[in-house]
Amino acid sequence: MKSNRSIWLLTFILSMLVLLAIYGFGFDFQFLKYEVNEKNQLVMYEGLSGPNPIINSDVSNEQESLSVLGTHMDRFNQWVLAAVLITPFFIASYILLFNEKRMKHHPKKKKYFSWTLATSLIFFTLFIFIWIRYIKLINEAYHNVLF
């Protein structure tokens, strides 16, 4: 019979590998990115959506604005990667805590659950705050490129 630590570690490693595979292969480790095509049009990539060229946009003279946009997108992508790396801690913890066979009579189950829930809510709130902040920065930089 495996110990709780080994179950937690196995779940952590598997969820880390799955999330990194999804973010790596599905997103190429970039949730947001841009490029300039041969017509000097700005082409945006968001999540799994394909290239979205911005029609009638000549961005050939906007290198400084594009640099700012790229910087904000890179930072945003780093925060998404950090979230991908932190999430397996919570996945493994919740799976172990909800495992009735292993945690049914554990004396500190409620304490562990409340700490895990509080910590995950703090991280989720922080991530939403960062998400909104960077989306506003990226939106402003995007408008500076086009207008």
Side-chain angles (χ1 to χ4, degrees):
M1 188 162 176
K2 294 184 179 180
S3 71
N4 287 347
R5 278 190 195 161
S6 61
I7 295 294
W8 186 91
L9 187 62
L10 179 64
T11 306
F12 172 78
I13 290 170
L14 288 175
S15 60
M16 175 76 76
L17 291 173
V18 167
L19 289 174
L20 284 174
I22 290 169
Y23 192 56
F25 293 117
F27 299 99
D28 194 26
F29 294 104
Q30 294 182 337
F31 188 80
L32 294 175
K33 66 180 176 178
Y34 80 91
E35 57 186 42
V36 178
N37 65 12
E38 65 279 347
K39 297 176 187 176
N40 288 326
Q41 293 174 324
L42 182 64
V43 180
M44 300 289 291
Y45 296 86
E46 267 184 88
L48 291 174
S49 68
N52 297 317
I54 310 304
I55 307 298
N56 297 329
S57 65
D58 183 5
V59 294
S60 57
N61 296 328
E62 299 294 333
Q63 296 307 317
E64 186 176 325
S65 297
L66 286 171
S67 175
V68 170
L69 178 64
T71 300
H72 290 320
M73 285 183 170
D74 287 342
R75 287 184 188 147
F76 178 80
N77 289 328
Q78 290 171 354
W79 281 109
V80 172
L81 180 60
V84 166
L85 295 175
I86 291 171
T87 301
F89 286 102
F90 296 110
I91 292 172
S93 297
Y94 282 119
I95 285 180
L96 185 61
L97 286 169
F98 288 126
N99 187 335
E100 286 297 320
K101 179 180 169 187
R102 298 204 170 273
M103 297 296 288
K104 186 175 186 178
H105 300 293
H106 196 285
K108 295 184 180 181
K109 180 181 177 180
K110 288 183 180 181
K111 179 181 175 183
Y112 291 155
F113 181 75
S114 62
W115 277 100
T116 304
L117 183 62
T119 307
S120 61
L121 287 175
I122 289 168
F123 274 100
F124 182 73
T125 303
L126 179 65
F127 183 75
I128 293 297
F129 175 75
I130 291 168
W131 184 284
I132 291 169
R133 179 177 178 261
Y134 273 100
I135 292 302
K136 285 181 180 179
L137 288 172
I138 290 168
N139 192 32
E140 289 173 10
Y142 170 79
H143 285 291
N144 287 339
V145 169
L146 295 180
F147 303 110

